Amino acid sequence: MMTPLAAAKAYAATQGAAVPSVGGGQAAGGTDFGAMLKNVMDGAVETSRAAETQMAAHVQGNAQLVDVVTAISAAETSLETVMAVRDQVISAYQEIMRMPI
């Protein structure tokens, strides 16, 4: 099973982005965590739009099935990465809420 951190590193490697170091508020490229999450979300939305475009092109007869399957697979992988990060953020929030004051 792939850990969420390994998934985030794999996704960052495919996107050419830097993975933030643990314990810092800033990523290696100088962007903050919120901006990095927004970029990842924008990338996930863009890959799903590309998959929809490929599907529509295939229905019209302008695209090959292998291109559609590749686009859908990329969108699925991107969504799984976003969901893994979301799960880790929720888990971290719940752990913080359990800490005694």
Side-chain angles (χ1 to χ4, degrees):
M1 182 173 153
M2 180 178 269
T3 65
L5 182 58
K9 286 182 180 182
Y11 180 78
T14 61
Q15 299 300 315
V19 176
S21 60
V22 175
Q26 298 255 336
T31 59
D32 64 357
F33 184 70
M36 184 187 70
L37 284 179
K38 182 176 181 343
N39 290 339
V40 170
M41 287 298 298
D42 289 343
V45 169
E46 187 60 36
T47 57
S48 67
R49 284 187 184 143
E52 290 175 7
T53 302
Q54 285 291 332
M55 285 187 289
H58 181 67
V59 168
Q60 296 172 353
N62 298 331
Q64 297 292 321
L65 184 60
V66 69
D67 296 332
V68 175
V69 172
T70 302
I72 291 172
S73 177
E76 182 181 16
T77 303
S78 179
L79 180 62
E80 287 174 357
T81 302
V82 168
M83 289 173 51
V85 171
R86 180 209 59 188
D87 292 344
Q88 287 296 310
V89 168
I90 290 172
S91 175
Y93 174 77
Q94 289 172 341
E95 185 66 28
I96 289 170
M97 295 306 293
R98 282 192 289 255
M99 289 181 182
I101 297 178

